[in-house]
Amino acid sequence: MARAMFEYTKTVLRKVSFDATLFCKEVEKAVKRLLPYEIEELRIFINSMIQQNPELNQCLIYLKA
């Protein structure tokens, strides 16, 4: 079940990546829902998205907490 939540989170983040504000809100929600090792995977996923869309960089602060 937890893995399904991680995949769902990635899908949502892909869909809202056009808007940095929405993206940040979804990252914040994901950090509350996911397991610690999934948050590390999420960090890697988000870093790859930042390569294509640099304005998403501001959302990394939610992963540091």
Side-chain angles (χ1 to χ4, degrees):
M1 179 65 181
R3 197 70 193 167
M5 182 56 75
F6 178 68
E7 292 301 322
Y8 174 74
T9 299
K10 287 185 358 183
T11 301
V12 169
L13 289 175
R14 280 188 201 103
K15 289 183 179 181
V16 299
S17 64
F18 67 92
D19 182 1
T21 304
L22 278 175
F23 190 84
C24 288
K25 286 181 183 180
E26 291 300 328
V27 169
E28 191 175 12
K29 284 196 257 182
V31 168
K32 293 176 185 175
R33 292 184 187 142
L34 297 176
L35 299 172
Y37 73 92
E38 291 175 323
I39 292 173
E40 288 303 315
E41 290 182 48
L42 185 66
R43 181 177 284 121
I44 294 167
F45 173 75
I46 289 174
N47 280 329
S48 70
M49 291 191 75
I50 289 172
Q51 297 298 321
Q52 300 161 354
N53 203 349
E55 69 264 9
L56 300 177
N57 192 25
Q58 62 188 340
C59 301
L60 288 176
I61 60 170
Y62 296 110
L63 296 174
K64 308 262 188 249

PDB file of all heavy atoms in Angstrom, residues 43-58:
ATOM      1  N   ARG A  43      13.218  12.724  -3.088  1.00  0.00           N
ATOM      2  CA  ARG A  43      14.234  13.758  -3.288  1.00  0.00           C
ATOM      3  C   ARG A  43      14.960  13.536  -4.613  1.00  0.00           C
ATOM      4  O   ARG A  43      15.176  14.473  -5.384  1.00  0.00           O
ATOM      5  CB  ARG A  43      15.222  13.748  -2.123  1.00  0.00           C
ATOM      6  CG  ARG A  43      16.290  14.814  -2.238  1.00  0.00           C
ATOM      7  CD  ARG A  43      17.211  14.839  -1.039  1.00  0.00           C
ATOM      8  NE  ARG A  43      16.516  15.478   0.077  1.00  0.00           N
ATOM      9  CZ  ARG A  43      16.284  14.883   1.244  1.00  0.00           C
ATOM     10  NH1 ARG A  43      16.696  13.665   1.466  1.00  0.00           N
ATOM     11  NH2 ARG A  43      15.659  15.532   2.202  1.00  0.00           N
ATOM     12  N   ILE A  44      15.309  12.300  -4.908  1.00  0.00           N
ATOM     13  CA  ILE A  44      15.983  11.970  -6.170  1.00  0.00           C
ATOM     14  C   ILE A  44      15.067  12.280  -7.352  1.00  0.00           C
ATOM     15  O   ILE A  44      15.492  12.873  -8.348  1.00  0.00           O
ATOM     16  CB  ILE A  44      16.416  10.490  -6.172  1.00  0.00           C
ATOM     17  CG1 ILE A  44      17.488  10.269  -5.101  1.00  0.00           C
ATOM     18  CG2 ILE A  44      16.911  10.059  -7.551  1.00  0.00           C
ATOM     19  CD1 ILE A  44      17.754   8.810  -4.792  1.00  0.00           C
ATOM     20  N   PHE A  45      13.808  11.891  -7.237  1.00  0.00           N
ATOM     21  CA  PHE A  45      12.830  12.145  -8.293  1.00  0.00           C
ATOM     22  C   PHE A  45      12.668  13.647  -8.542  1.00  0.00           C
ATOM     23  O   PHE A  45      12.664  14.109  -9.685  1.00  0.00           O
ATOM     24  CB  PHE A  45      11.487  11.511  -7.904  1.00  0.00           C
ATOM     25  CG  PHE A  45      10.368  11.841  -8.836  1.00  0.00           C
ATOM     26  CD1 PHE A  45      10.278  11.244 -10.080  1.00  0.00           C
ATOM     27  CD2 PHE A  45       9.391  12.751  -8.465  1.00  0.00           C
ATOM     28  CE1 PHE A  45       9.239  11.555 -10.947  1.00  0.00           C
ATOM     29  CE2 PHE A  45       8.350  13.064  -9.319  1.00  0.00           C
ATOM     30  CZ  PHE A  45       8.281  12.467 -10.564  1.00  0.00           C
ATOM     31  N   ILE A  46      12.548  14.423  -7.471  1.00  0.00           N
ATOM     32  CA  ILE A  46      12.357  15.863  -7.605  1.00  0.00           C
ATOM     33  C   ILE A  46      13.601  16.518  -8.203  1.00  0.00           C
ATOM     34  O   ILE A  46      13.493  17.423  -9.033  1.00  0.00           O
ATOM     35  CB  ILE A  46      11.969  16.490  -6.252  1.00  0.00           C
ATOM     36  CG1 ILE A  46      10.544  16.054  -5.898  1.00  0.00           C
ATOM     37  CG2 ILE A  46      12.067  18.014  -6.293  1.00  0.00           C
ATOM     38  CD1 ILE A  46      10.068  16.475  -4.541  1.00  0.00           C
ATOM     39  N   ASN A  47      14.771  16.060  -7.812  1.00  0.00           N
ATOM     40  CA  ASN A  47      16.004  16.611  -8.391  1.00  0.00           C
ATOM     41  C   ASN A  47      16.046  16.390  -9.898  1.00  0.00           C
ATOM     42  O   ASN A  47      16.500  17.260 -10.645  1.00  0.00           O
ATOM     43  CB  ASN A  47      17.238  16.019  -7.723  1.00  0.00           C
ATOM     44  CG  ASN A  47      17.528  16.679  -6.398  1.00  0.00           C
ATOM     45  OD1 ASN A  47      17.257  17.850  -6.197  1.00  0.00           O
ATOM     46  ND2 ASN A  47      18.077  15.912  -5.472  1.00  0.00           N
ATOM     47  N   SER A  48      15.556  15.256 -10.361  1.00  0.00           N
ATOM     48  CA  SER A  48      15.522  15.024 -11.806  1.00  0.00           C
ATOM     49  C   SER A  48      14.511  15.947 -12.486  1.00  0.00           C
ATOM     50  O   SER A  48      14.734  16.392 -13.613  1.00  0.00           O
ATOM     51  CB  SER A  48      15.214  13.561 -12.116  1.00  0.00           C
ATOM     52  OG  SER A  48      13.885  13.244 -11.787  1.00  0.00           O
ATOM     53  N   MET A  49      13.416  16.258 -11.802  1.00  0.00           N
ATOM     54  CA  MET A  49      12.424  17.180 -12.366  1.00  0.00           C
ATOM     55  C   MET A  49      12.963  18.610 -12.399  1.00  0.00           C
ATOM     56  O   MET A  49      12.648  19.377 -13.308  1.00  0.00           O
ATOM     57  CB  MET A  49      11.124  17.133 -11.565  1.00  0.00           C
ATOM     58  CG  MET A  49      10.374  15.829 -11.723  1.00  0.00           C
ATOM     59  SD  MET A  49       8.721  15.900 -11.042  1.00  0.00           S
ATOM     60  CE  MET A  49       7.895  16.860 -12.296  1.00  0.00           C
ATOM     61  N   ILE A  50      13.791  18.951 -11.423  1.00  0.00           N
ATOM     62  CA  ILE A  50      14.357  20.301 -11.363  1.00  0.00           C
ATOM     63  C   ILE A  50      15.297  20.534 -12.540  1.00  0.00           C
ATOM     64  O   ILE A  50      15.418  21.655 -13.021  1.00  0.00           O
ATOM     65  CB  ILE A  50      15.063  20.518 -10.007  1.00  0.00           C
ATOM     66  CG1 ILE A  50      14.013  20.630  -8.902  1.00  0.00           C
ATOM     67  CG2 ILE A  50      15.932  21.772 -10.033  1.00  0.00           C
ATOM     68  CD1 ILE A  50      14.585  20.656  -7.508  1.00  0.00           C
ATOM     69  N   GLN A  51      15.936  19.482 -13.018  1.00  0.00           N
ATOM     70  CA  GLN A  51      16.815  19.626 -14.181  1.00  0.00           C
ATOM     71  C   GLN A  51      16.034  20.162 -15.384  1.00  0.00           C
ATOM     72  O   GLN A  51      16.562  20.940 -16.166  1.00  0.00           O
ATOM     73  CB  GLN A  51      17.444  18.269 -14.549  1.00  0.00           C
ATOM     74  CG  GLN A  51      18.325  17.682 -13.490  1.00  0.00           C
ATOM     75  CD  GLN A  51      19.530  18.549 -13.183  1.00  0.00           C
ATOM     76  OE1 GLN A  51      20.122  19.123 -14.081  1.00  0.00           O
ATOM     77  NE2 GLN A  51      19.868  18.646 -11.916  1.00  0.00           N
ATOM     78  N   GLN A  52      14.782  19.741 -15.518  1.00  0.00           N
ATOM     79  CA  GLN A  52      13.950  20.161 -16.643  1.00  0.00           C
ATOM     80  C   GLN A  52      13.184  21.448 -16.356  1.00  0.00           C
ATOM     81  O   GLN A  52      12.827  22.183 -17.271  1.00  0.00           O
ATOM     82  CB  GLN A  52      12.951  19.056 -16.989  1.00  0.00           C
ATOM     83  CG  GLN A  52      13.609  17.761 -17.371  1.00  0.00           C
ATOM     84  CD  GLN A  52      12.655  16.581 -17.272  1.00  0.00           C
ATOM     85  OE1 GLN A  52      11.538  16.720 -16.812  1.00  0.00           O
ATOM     86  NE2 GLN A  52      13.125  15.426 -17.691  1.00  0.00           N
ATOM     87  N   ASN A  53      12.906  21.689 -15.084  1.00  0.00           N
ATOM     88  CA  ASN A  53      12.067  22.821 -14.694  1.00  0.00           C
ATOM     89  C   ASN A  53      12.695  23.512 -13.474  1.00  0.00           C
ATOM     90  O   ASN A  53      12.280  23.263 -12.344  1.00  0.00           O
ATOM     91  CB  ASN A  53      10.666  22.283 -14.382  1.00  0.00           C
ATOM     92  CG  ASN A  53       9.603  23.322 -14.514  1.00  0.00           C
ATOM     93  OD1 ASN A  53       9.892  24.492 -14.642  1.00  0.00           O
ATOM     94  ND2 ASN A  53       8.356  22.897 -14.467  1.00  0.00           N
ATOM     95  N   PRO A  54      13.690  24.372 -13.657  1.00  0.00           N
ATOM     96  CA  PRO A  54      14.470  24.927 -12.545  1.00  0.00           C
ATOM     97  C   PRO A  54      13.679  25.707 -11.493  1.00  0.00           C
ATOM     98  O   PRO A  54      14.110  25.768 -10.344  1.00  0.00           O
ATOM     99  CB  PRO A  54      15.470  25.859 -13.247  1.00  0.00           C
ATOM    100  CG  PRO A  54      15.543  25.375 -14.638  1.00  0.00           C
ATOM    101  CD  PRO A  54      14.199  24.798 -14.952  1.00  0.00           C
ATOM    102  N   GLU A  55      12.544  26.273 -11.837  1.00  0.00           N
ATOM    103  CA  GLU A  55      11.814  27.047 -10.825  1.00  0.00           C
ATOM    104  C   GLU A  55      11.219  26.164  -9.720  1.00  0.00           C
ATOM    105  O   GLU A  55      10.797  26.658  -8.688  1.00  0.00           O
ATOM    106  CB  GLU A  55      10.720  27.929 -11.443  1.00  0.00           C
ATOM    107  CG  GLU A  55       9.550  27.192 -12.011  1.00  0.00           C
ATOM    108  CD  GLU A  55       9.659  26.964 -13.507  1.00  0.00           C
ATOM    109  OE1 GLU A  55      10.707  27.225 -14.095  1.00  0.00           O
ATOM    110  OE2 GLU A  55       8.666  26.509 -14.073  1.00  0.00           O
ATOM    111  N   LEU A  56      11.211  24.861  -9.910  1.00  0.00           N
ATOM    112  CA  LEU A  56      10.730  23.944  -8.865  1.00  0.00           C
ATOM    113  C   LEU A  56      11.747  23.794  -7.740  1.00  0.00           C
ATOM    114  O   LEU A  56      11.451  23.184  -6.712  1.00  0.00           O
ATOM    115  CB  LEU A  56      10.422  22.568  -9.467  1.00  0.00           C
ATOM    116  CG  LEU A  56       9.361  22.542 -10.562  1.00  0.00           C
ATOM    117  CD1 LEU A  56       9.208  21.129 -11.103  1.00  0.00           C
ATOM    118  CD2 LEU A  56       8.039  23.067 -10.069  1.00  0.00           C
ATOM    119  N   ASN A  57      12.910  24.372  -7.917  1.00  0.00           N
ATOM    120  CA  ASN A  57      13.993  24.274  -6.935  1.00  0.00           C
ATOM    121  C   ASN A  57      13.564  24.762  -5.550  1.00  0.00           C
ATOM    122  O   ASN A  57      14.032  24.253  -4.540  1.00  0.00           O
ATOM    123  CB  ASN A  57      15.195  25.077  -7.433  1.00  0.00           C
ATOM    124  CG  ASN A  57      16.435  24.798  -6.642  1.00  0.00           C
ATOM    125  OD1 ASN A  57      16.576  23.741  -6.044  1.00  0.00           O
ATOM    126  ND2 ASN A  57      17.332  25.749  -6.631  1.00  0.00           N
ATOM    127  N   GLN A  58      12.664  25.728  -5.489  1.00  0.00           N
ATOM    128  CA  GLN A  58      12.226  26.289  -4.211  1.00  0.00           C
ATOM    129  C   GLN A  58      11.532  25.261  -3.321  1.00  0.00           C
ATOM    130  O   GLN A  58      11.439  25.445  -2.109  1.00  0.00           O
ATOM    131  CB  GLN A  58      11.318  27.484  -4.452  1.00  0.00           C
ATOM    132  CG  GLN A  58      10.043  27.136  -5.195  1.00  0.00           C
ATOM    133  CD  GLN A  58       9.260  28.362  -5.581  1.00  0.00           C
ATOM    134  OE1 GLN A  58       9.444  29.432  -5.017  1.00  0.00           O
ATOM    135  NE2 GLN A  58       8.366  28.207  -6.539  1.00  0.00           N
TER     136      GLN A  58
END
